[in-house]
Amino acid sequence: MTVEQATARRLDGSAAAAEIRERIRPRIEAFTRRAGRAPKLGILLAGSDPGSEIYVRNKMKSSAELGMESDLRRLPETAALGDALEIVAEFNASATHDGILVQSPLPDGMGSDAEQQVFDAIAPGKDVDGFNPANVGRLVQKRPALAPCTPSGIIDLLDREGVEISGARAVVIGRSDIVGKPMAMLLLHRNATVTICHSRTRDLPGVAAEADILVAAIGRAAFVTREFVKPGATVVDVGMNRLDDRAQVEALFGAGSRKLAAFDRRGSVVTGDVHPAVAQVAGALTPVPGGVGPLTIAMLLANTVSAAEGRQALA
Ligand code: GUN
């Protein structure tokens, strides 16, 4: 059996994202009629991280397809934290910017707590990433708030695919503020029994193998191997790792694989945190690409519409 002969059901994030977009389309149209303008997202992209370039391009393209506006501000790699805070202050004060997104990561030169300082500065009502401490607190307290896009999208996908969350054992590998922690909170609010694992977890494969729902958000290519996965489990792969070593791609996916052919065309491929052989063990699995990525973008658009509606209700 080659690693591409999967038994796991493929959880189609692109289809789920398309459904989310169709759900929000009438809300965008209604907002635009009432306000006399489209909802608008202010984006700050500092530096030239290749992954961030792709994310931001896709976010802007999806916004435009739904009739929303986006306003991209760029800063060079050498910019200071103050430059970023100035743009956030302008977006905060603007009457026509409904949502604000500061793409992570910020350049190293801005300092180790730059991201937190920027997220602290974003007006909570415009915080479409849900990273401001006011929104993080509201999420923990299960009060309505703008919630982080990737974890919200994953919950939507699990619901759409009929994966039972209530009573399930859920294991989240990764404790980031962007994915791991909010993911755990949303699963808890849906009555899963949740464990968060990280680099110091003892017997990580053993803990992960207890999961009915396993979320991998580590940022290491093919880290989650077969022994991490209980047969039949639902596995959600949040990883987006670029591989530019042909030998590594061949070792992971096999000599005749589609991934290797894609590598030979493009010189690199993107792969998740989950090893391809997991498809032989898991009951259901999100692909990379085409799994969680499109969901994150759809949820960002949904949060932008919610922020716009919330601001209109207050006006
Ligand atoms: N970088 C990777 N994922 C995200 C995200 O969801 N939001 C922002 N702002 N930056 C990111």
Side-chain angles (χ1 to χ4, degrees):
M1 189 189 247
T2 74
V3 288
E4 287 192 339
Q5 282 176 302
T7 56
R9 185 159 62 93
R10 180 187 155 99
L11 300 177
D12 190 345
S14 298
E19 214 174 273
I20 294 167
R21 286 198 298 272
E22 289 320 306
R23 277 206 310 261
I24 59 177
R25 193 185 290 278
R27 288 168 58 194
I28 294 171
E29 288 166 1
F31 175 90
T32 305
R33 267 197 308 278
R34 285 194 308 266
R37 64 170 183 85
K40 184 156 74 182
L41 175 65
I43 303 174
L44 171 57
L45 175 57
S48 50
D49 179 76
S52 293
E53 292 278 348
I54 296 169
Y55 266 126
V56 166
R57 198 184 320 133
N58 289 337
K59 286 166 183 174
M60 294 181 71
K61 186 165 158 262
S62 298
S63 301
E65 278 165 8
L66 280 183
M68 300 208 303
E69 281 185 42
S70 50
D71 174 9
L72 172 64
R73 306 291 174 86
R74 286 177 176 270
L75 284 174
E77 188 75 31
T78 51
L81 174 59
D83 300 325
L85 291 171
E86 221 170 89
I87 291 171
V88 169
E90 186 196 327
F91 285 157
N92 280 344
S94 165
T96 56
H97 289 76
D98 302 291
I100 302 172
L101 180 138
V102 177
Q103 185 64 34
S104 170
L106 289 172
D108 289 344
M110 287 193 184
S112 58
D113 69 342
E115 271 171 28
Q116 195 59 65
Q117 288 202 49
V118 168
F119 297 147
D120 286 357
I122 294 173
K126 296 188 178 188
D127 172 31
V128 289
D129 265 323
F131 297 160
N132 178 277
N135 286 324
V136 176
R138 293 181 73 90
L139 174 67
V140 171
Q141 293 177 335
K142 205 181 170 187
R143 297 158 73 191
L146 292 166
C149 303
T150 299
S152 313
I154 290 169
I155 296 287
D156 206 273
L157 179 68
L158 295 175
D159 283 344
R160 180 180 191 273
E161 296 280 351
V163 176
E164 174 132 32
I165 303 174
S166 182
R169 279 200 159 236
V171 173
V172 180
I173 311 181
R175 54 178 155 180
S176 71
D177 290 340
I178 292 181
V179 180
K181 283 191 248 178
M183 183 77 257
M185 213 35 75
L186 290 178
L187 287 163
L188 175 66
H189 293 338
R190 293 292 300 274
N191 302 313
T193 300
V194 185
T195 303
I196 305 178
C197 296
H198 45 78
S199 54
R200 305 285 175 86
T201 297
R202 272 190 221 129
D203 185 22
L204 182 51
V207 178
E210 289 183 7
D212 303 307
I213 299 170
L214 179 63
V215 180
I218 314 121
R220 285 173 63 180
F223 179 83
V224 173
T225 49
R226 291 173 65 119
E227 71 265 25
F228 285 65
V229 179
K230 179 163 80 176
T234 297
V235 180
V236 178
D237 188 352
V238 185
M240 281 271 269
N241 310 294
R242 184 173 302 275
L243 301 183
D244 41 28
D245 174 1
R246 191 179 190 281
Q248 194 186 4
V249 177
E250 183 168 348
L252 283 174
F253 293 95
S257 64
R258 271 175 290 162
K259 275 277 194 207
L260 194 61
F263 181 93
D264 287 337
R265 283 194 306 276
R266 294 188 219 119
S268 70
V269 286
V270 170
T271 194
D273 290 348
V274 175
H275 192 282
V278 166
Q280 297 160 18
V281 186
L285 176 63
T286 62
V288 177
V292 170
L295 284 168
T296 299
I297 292 172
M299 278 298 169
L300 170 73
L301 304 179
N303 277 354
T304 305
V305 182
S306 296
E309 290 168 343
R311 281 166 27 75
Q312 196 172 49
L314 293 174

